[in-house]
Amino acid sequence: MDYLLMIIGLLLLIGGADGLVKGAARLAERMGIPSLVIGLTVVAFGTSAPELAVSIRAVLTGQREMAMANVVGSNIFNVLFILGLSAMIIPLTISRQLIRQDVPVMILTSALVLSMAIDGQLSRGNSAVLVVLLMGYTVFLFVQGKRTEHLKTPVSNRDAGTEPTENMSPVWHSILWLAVGLSCLILGANVLVGSAVNIARVFEISEAVIGLTILAIGTSLPEVVTSIVASLRGQRDIAVGNVVGSNTFNLLAVLGISGLVSEQGLTGSLQLVQQDFPIMLAVALLCLPFFFTGASLSRVEGGLFFSLYLLYSAFLIGMTTQAQWLSPLKLFICYFCVPVTVLTVTGSLIRDLRKRR
């Protein structure tokens, strides 16, 4: 039965992602807001709803560490797996706003949350600060998007642009697509996660691995399908903006709201604070040089991201199960993967400098 539910959940995710991207793109055109802003806000917030629901449920049942682990695992998965897989399918073009503004915001937010939770605790006061920052950032994005679109539009066409064109669908059509797509995404994610956790427990996989891998992956599946569908539909701003916006939303809203709901805030284990949080920050930092090189993410670079996530997952499983192959894997990561990543980043930067000259 759980296997059938997994298939149903996946189908709901695929259909929901298509509806969400359609609605977001049409709403952006109708309201005169750039698709990148919609990807960073409406789509990113919507596809992060499963993380928020799971984290709130976790703190209400006393599993405060799982809420934090879910966010950390999801953010690592979003960058390495989703961007990697999307770039392997279709090379992603990165907008200037993402490079100069939104990716640095994601990096700074990651560093801020790490500094707040360095002692293994995220207090309600810290959570309130995150929620306030989220509200300010969201308002800033919409104001900036409207201003940018206004400046791009000729004065003679501004008044005319306020009227709907014959080929432009009514606003309620776009809102309906968004609502139905988002509902299918959330329902599909919940069904898929529930069945996956049940299957994992049958095979006696530990709660720690479930939290950082299966749960994180399951709640990030809307981002996976949405970004891939957006890429295939040519909405690459939404594909990349969805990941960047989701990561920022996870840190500010999911941790912030979950921390406010919990009377004692959120907690993180020593492993989570000293290992997984720094990895999350390093992964965010890894985006910046790749995005700078030609303002794109190539198939090779996407393959590197994807491979790094597979290695991270293997490392987590090996560490949790105390597998015999863990030590060779550590050596492989230190003496092969890290140098290859550094060389790839350096090579991309050099090629980009040569092109500019």
Side-chain angles (χ1 to χ4, degrees), residues 43-86:
V43 178
F45 292 5
T47 55
S48 289
E51 281 95 335
L52 180 59
V54 168
S55 294
I56 291 177
R57 183 177 60 184
V59 299
L60 291 177
T61 56
Q63 299 172 314
R64 294 182 295 151
E65 183 180 338
M66 182 173 288
M68 193 177 292
N70 178 35
V71 169
V72 173
S74 293
N75 278 21
I76 295 172
F77 179 82
N78 286 349
V79 173
L80 295 182
F81 186 94
I82 298 178
L83 284 185
L85 182 60
S86 299

Side-chain angles (χ1 to χ4, degrees), residues 287-305:
C287 289
L288 207 53
F290 279 122
F291 283 10
F292 265 121
T293 56
S296 64
L297 194 67
S298 67
R299 284 192 171 92
V300 173
E301 294 163 349
L304 176 63
F305 276 38

Side-chain angles (χ1 to χ4, degrees), residues 326-337:
L326 182 60
S327 294
L329 180 62
K330 288 182 179 179
L331 294 175
F332 177 74
I333 292 174
C334 291
Y335 294 104
F336 180 77
C337 296

Side-chain angles (χ1 to χ4, degrees), residues 14-39 41-44 46-47 142 168-183 185 226 229-230 233 235 238:
I14 295 173
D18 187 52
L20 190 65
V21 172
K22 281 182 181 178
R26 291 176 182 178
L27 190 63
E29 181 184 4
R30 189 77 167 88
M31 298 178 64
I33 298 174
S35 60
L36 175 60
V37 177
I38 295 294
T41 54
V42 178
V43 178
T47 55
F142 272 105
M168 190 175 294
S169 60
V171 174
W172 70 268
H173 280 182
S174 302
I175 296 175
L176 181 62
W177 274 112
L178 280 171
V180 173
L182 180 58
S183 300
L185 280 171
T226 300
V229 170
R233 294 177 64 88
Q235 297 287 341
I238 289 181

